[in-house]
Amino acid sequence: MGVWHSRSARGLGGAVVGVNVLKVRTGDHRTCRPPPGGMNCGHGAHPAMSDPLLTPLTVAGVTIRNRIFSTSHTPGYAEDGLATDRYLLYHREKARGGIGLTMIGGSTNVAPDSPSIWGQLYAGDDAVIPGLADLADAVHAEGAAVMCQLTHMGRRTIWDDGDWLPTIAPSRVREPMHRSFPKVMDDADIDRVVRAYAAAAGRIREAGLDGVEIIATGHLVDQFWSPAVNRRTDGYGGSLDNRMRFGFEVLEAIRASVGDDFAVGVRMSGDENLADGLTHEECCEIARRLARSQLIDFVNVIGGNLITHPALAEAIPPMGTPLAAQLPVAAAIKEAVDLPVFHAGRIPDVATARHVISEGLVDLVGMTRGHIADPHIVAKIQRGEEHRIRTCVGASYCINRLYRGQESLCIQNPATGREATIPHLTVPSDGPAKRVVVVGAGPGGLEAARVCAERGHVVTLFEARSSTGGQARLAARASERRRDLVGIVDWLEQEARLAGVDIRLDCPAVAADVLDCDPDVVIVATGGSPDTDVLPVGANGTDLLTSVADVVGGHAGVGPRTLVFDDHGGIEALSCVEFLLDRGATVELVVPDRYVAHGLDGTLHPGYLERFHSEGVALVPDHRLVAVHRVQGGLEAVLRNVYTGTEHVSVADQVVVEHGVVPVDDLFVELSGMSANGGRLDLDNLLTGRPQPGGGEGLHVYRVGDAVAGRDIHAAIYDARRLCQVL
């Protein structure tokens, strides 16, 4: 059970720097590693379990009911720095789904010169307490623990927002991503920020949460640690003792504010992987000194740094990267300290998570994006339904939206972040069963069929191809990097079949086939066809253009010299370029925007651009394709500068364009003429979660996804879900 003893307020690697005497239960610091077979570890009344993931862990008196947690992150659901009902419902759902610990408040700011740039919480005044108290009560009621991350972002933010105060940092070193020139912190700044951390932590405790985590991954605390940022010559710079001084002052003040019976941890990098930055050895030494200080109860470890887009993509790995690639740095920290070690870093599946825990590599495994895709992971493990977990595919739709100033959403789960209006578990209909026909088995059609069947309706799904998935399955073929996209439609197909949907493949349905089923409702999800209409009216060469989809789908050959014109700005053209490179083509990528991949941000584009630069892809921004001519030896593509109007010619064997899709809506138009609703969708009812009018009278026809307008996978699934959940 541990032994009570006094904890001196220590810092600087063990040198006494304060006089406050606190108490700590040292036994709670020991790692509760499940022995073989999941038997009781001896650190509390843990039930015997065969699954190491379901073994409890005690941290500073907080019992976490299993070894799975969600790291602190910013979903963009806060308003004016406060936790909203939407924020609460998002975290409560994970608790309902069985998670052990949900950490909230990714980069919760503690002071006004650390303004929100991603819609973070603000704990710099008491206004934050009521919302957090409600959230803590809701999460605790479902049996989970909840902690909040705190930060001052230092240079990792902007000055021209919030209160328009200068950013601050230990030295005047600009962060490449956020680009402000920070004010060098003076003694008054240091004292003020230390007090702000302590006050914010006190508010978190007052709200009833179970702990706080200080983030030190590119934020102010580790900006002092890192010699790449800290160039001071006073008592806060130079030696590691001096560089850690500010962080220890923060932790001492927090501990004095929250007391001893409250969990305090640090999220840190195990290796900055940065020129002049903290090495792996230095990070291990920092962790050892933090542990020896007895000011913290756990360490949460990641790898790398966050100061550029390529570094961000390394720290938060997207699709196409290895699973658990940062685990070695976390495991090394675990070897260095006698504290529970947490880790998250592209661990989307239960098998990998179970291996991490069973081998004792860390003590708590983060499945943050995994819970965005499916907040009921633990419940499904407990029910023996691991095969029904909707696994995160790493599409990074969530973080890409956040970095574009939008709220985080999941590419495949439309209920995440919309818990107030869309239940994660389909609610059965209390009305009579309907006969529903869905045409098209892409993401939207599969979701429509799945939800209608789970509602209790009799569903027939027609698909012209020999497999389900539509454009999502095609996109997964583009390159090794995107292959996991197929997981979206594989899960939807599995769940549709389990719900009893009659899936008819190789059935290109016409109106007569649909009407033979005597349906009450028809949902047309026939998708879209590639649009190559990118040239000015009357320009030469429309017949010489090939679509990205035709190239990736194998309907067009691969020219040795290929020009790709991307008028879309998404990932489709980038995937096609990679497809061409894999087949030995020389590629020129032309965009009318001021940079390539204009529609992407966050972590998606760095991997592509790294390869394009490495393999000599010619990147041509600010130009529009205006004509194509057949000439001896290939094709001449005429490119016009969008600013100057000047033109030049590029020679290629093939010109490939990405310009979205045109809805395939012939069947919808035909059936609408026979329907009671004329194919009309009542938007007011759709947006307020009410059934469509007249649902019990005659045939009703609707369409979803790209059959309405070219958008994306999330839009198609969302269309289907909100229509069908009230049918």
Side-chain angles (χ1 to χ4, degrees):
M1 298 297 291
V3 179
W4 290 98
H5 73 97
S6 63
R7 183 212 309 255
S8 297
R10 293 178 180 270
L12 307 184
V16 177
V17 294
V19 296
N20 294 326
V21 178
L22 304 172
K23 291 183 179 180
V24 62
R25 203 173 182 182
T26 55
D28 290 332
H29 287 303
R30 292 180 295 171
T31 298
C32 294
R33 183 183 303 178
M39 300 300 291
N40 193 308
C41 71
H43 296 167
H46 296 184
M49 295 180 181
S50 60
D51 192 337
L53 285 175
L54 301 181
T55 304
L57 174 71
T58 299
V59 179
V62 179
T63 298
I64 300 169
R65 59 184 170 181
N66 54 60
R67 299 304 181 99
I68 297 177
F69 82 113
S70 172
T71 57
S72 296
H73 59 286
T74 304
Y77 306 155
E79 294 179 6
D80 298 324
L82 304 178
T84 60
D85 287 344
R86 184 183 188 188
Y87 204 102
L88 181 156
L89 294 174
Y90 168 68
H91 285 284
R92 185 179 71 177
E93 193 68 35
K94 288 182 280 191
R96 282 181 171 174
I99 200 168
L101 166 66
T102 186
M103 300 185 85
I104 72 164
S107 301
T108 295
N109 292 298
V110 303
D113 51 355
S114 181
S116 170
I117 51 176
W118 303 301
Q120 298 114 288
L121 296 176
Y122 181 68
D125 59 49
D126 291 348
V128 77
I129 296 173
L132 290 186
D134 290 343
L135 188 153
D137 288 345
V139 170
H140 287 153
E142 302 293 343
V146 56
M147 300 184 188
C148 184
Q149 186 180 87
L150 294 177
T151 193
H152 192 297
M153 301 187 73
R155 67 174 190 157
R156 187 174 165 73
T157 186
I158 57 178
W159 56 265
D160 54 343
D161 196 5
D163 294 302
W164 280 57
L165 295 171
T167 60
I168 59 175
S171 303
R172 188 183 178 275
V173 180
R174 190 187 202 195
E175 188 200 64
M177 187 178 292
H178 295 95
R179 306 176 67 81
S180 69
F181 291 99
K183 172 195 174 188
V184 177
M185 293 175 69
D186 55 28
D187 289 345
D189 289 322
I190 290 172
D191 291 343
R192 171 178 57 82
V193 173
V194 168
R195 291 195 305 271
Y197 267 108
R203 295 180 184 106
I204 302 305
R205 170 155 193 157
E206 183 177 346
L209 280 75
D210 300 300
V212 294
E213 173 184 80
I214 308 309
I215 185 168
T217 57
H219 294 234
L220 186 57
V221 167
D222 64 297
Q223 288 168 25
F224 273 89
W225 292 350
S226 178
V229 183
N230 186 344
R231 300 175 183 174
R232 300 174 76 102
T233 58
D234 62 3
Y236 293 93
S239 68
L240 183 58
D241 280 351
N242 284 353
R243 285 183 277 123
M244 291 190 69
R245 187 183 303 276
F246 172 75
F248 275 124
E249 289 178 354
V250 167
L251 289 170
E252 288 167 358
I254 287 174
R255 188 55 78 184
S257 174
V258 301
D260 194 55
D261 58 341
F262 191 69
V264 177
V266 172
R267 181 168 171 86
M268 62 175 289
S269 177
D271 186 340
E272 280 199 304
N273 192 23
L274 177 68
D276 300 321
L278 293 167
T279 65
H280 165 66
E281 292 76 13
E282 288 172 313
C283 289
C284 285
E285 178 59 22
I286 288 172
R288 279 191 287 267
R289 294 187 184 203
L290 290 172
R292 286 201 304 265
S293 76
Q294 301 182 20
L295 292 168
I296 65 171
D297 303 297
F298 65 89
V299 181
N300 188 356
V301 183
I302 69 166
N305 66 86
L306 307 176
I307 68 172
T308 64
H309 279 98
L312 183 72
E314 179 184 358
I316 310 175
M319 177 184 294
T321 56
L323 300 184
Q326 302 168 13
L327 186 57
V329 297
I333 295 292
K334 180 166 172 54
E335 290 297 318
V337 302
D338 188 23
L339 289 176
V341 173
F342 303 177
H343 174 65
R346 188 150 160 72
I347 303 176
D349 63 295
V350 171
T352 303
R354 183 174 289 119
H355 170 77
V356 168
I357 297 299
S358 65
E359 294 299 314
L361 301 175
V362 298
D363 301 292
L364 207 63
V365 60
M367 301 183 72
T368 307
R369 285 176 287 176
H371 278 80
I372 293 175
D374 189 341
H376 292 192
I377 290 174
V378 174
K380 291 178 180 179
I381 295 173
Q382 292 169 329
R383 293 198 300 266
E385 295 180 348
E386 287 182 30
H387 64 288
R388 299 192 66 181
I389 292 172
R390 190 190 323 228
T391 302
C392 171
V393 299
S396 298
Y397 194 82
C398 48
I399 193 169
N400 185 64
R401 286 179 55 84
L402 194 67
Y403 270 80
R404 290 179 59 80
Q406 302 167 301
E407 84 271 44
S408 287
L409 296 170
C410 178
I411 191 172
Q412 57 180 322
N413 188 348
T416 296
R418 299 189 180 103
E419 285 81 6
T421 57
I422 301 180
H424 281 268
L425 303 178
T426 305
V427 178
S429 172
D430 57 4
K434 296 182 174 68
R435 292 181 298 276
V436 179
V437 171
V438 180
V439 183
L446 286 168
E447 175 74 349
R450 177 187 78 88
V451 174
C452 286
E454 289 181 353
R455 293 271 290 160
H457 303 309
V458 179
V459 183
T460 303
L461 173 59
F462 289 99
E463 169 54 47
R465 296 183 177 89
S466 59
S467 62
T468 65
Q471 294 296 312
R473 198 171 293 278
L474 175 65
R477 291 180 52 189
S479 68
E480 184 71 11
R481 190 189 304 275
R482 299 205 77 196
R483 66 174 183 171
D484 287 350
L485 269 180
V486 75
I488 297 173
V489 289
D490 282 350
W491 185 88
L492 287 169
E493 178 181 349
Q494 168 194 274
E495 293 298 303
R497 290 189 184 278
L498 287 172
V501 176
D502 178 11
I503 299 178
R504 302 182 184 181
L505 302 175
D506 294 311
C507 289
V510 296
D513 299 322
V514 173
L515 296 174
D516 280 347
C517 296
D518 192 23
D520 301 301
V521 177
V522 176
I523 299 170
V524 178
T526 44
S529 61
D531 185 5
T532 58
D533 187 15
V534 299
L535 301 180
V537 175
N540 183 76
T542 298
D543 59 326
L544 301 176
L545 302 178
T546 303
S547 73
V548 160
D550 283 338
V551 171
V552 173
H555 303 299
V558 175
R561 299 170 299 171
T562 300
L563 183 147
V564 177
F565 176 66
D566 181 15
D567 200 29
H568 190 177
I571 205 166
E572 294 80 4
L574 304 188
S575 297
C576 181
V577 171
E578 195 156 56
F579 180 90
L580 293 164
L581 292 175
D582 286 342
R583 285 151 184 80
T586 299
V587 184
E588 181 178 11
L589 177 58
V590 181
V591 299
D593 307 306
R594 62 190 176 97
Y595 55 85
V596 168
H598 191 268
L600 303 180
D601 208 336
T603 64
L604 284 175
H605 61 283
Y608 288 103
L609 293 179
E610 179 184 2
R611 183 174 183 189
F612 295 172
H613 286 298
S614 297
E615 299 190 22
V617 174
L619 305 179
V620 184
D622 300 328
H623 282 78
R624 182 167 290 282
L625 180 68
V626 294
V628 180
H629 305 282
R630 190 178 297 282
V631 296
Q632 185 176 5
L635 302 174
E636 279 187 351
V638 181
L639 307 177
R640 179 180 298 156
N641 187 287
V642 298
Y643 296 104
T644 67
T646 56
E647 295 182 354
H648 75 269
V649 171
S650 185
V651 178
D653 301 298
Q654 182 181 40
V655 178
V656 180
V657 301
E658 170 55 38
H659 188 58
V661 298
V662 177
V664 176
D665 58 3
D666 294 349
L667 179 62
F668 171 77
V669 172
E670 183 178 0
L671 291 173
S672 294
M674 310 174 189
S675 67
N677 69 328
R680 289 185 292 274
L681 184 69
D682 187 306
L683 290 182
D684 288 338
N685 282 25
L686 180 75
L687 299 179
T688 55
R690 294 176 293 172
Q692 291 296 302
E697 302 173 4
L699 172 65
H700 282 68
V701 177
Y702 307 100
R703 57 177 169 166
V704 298
D706 286 356
V708 182
R711 288 167 290 164
D712 63 15
I713 291 172
H714 178 89
I717 295 174
Y718 185 33
D719 276 2
R721 183 61 182 273
R722 57 181 167 177
L723 171 67
C724 297
Q725 71 178 10
V726 292
L727 275 179

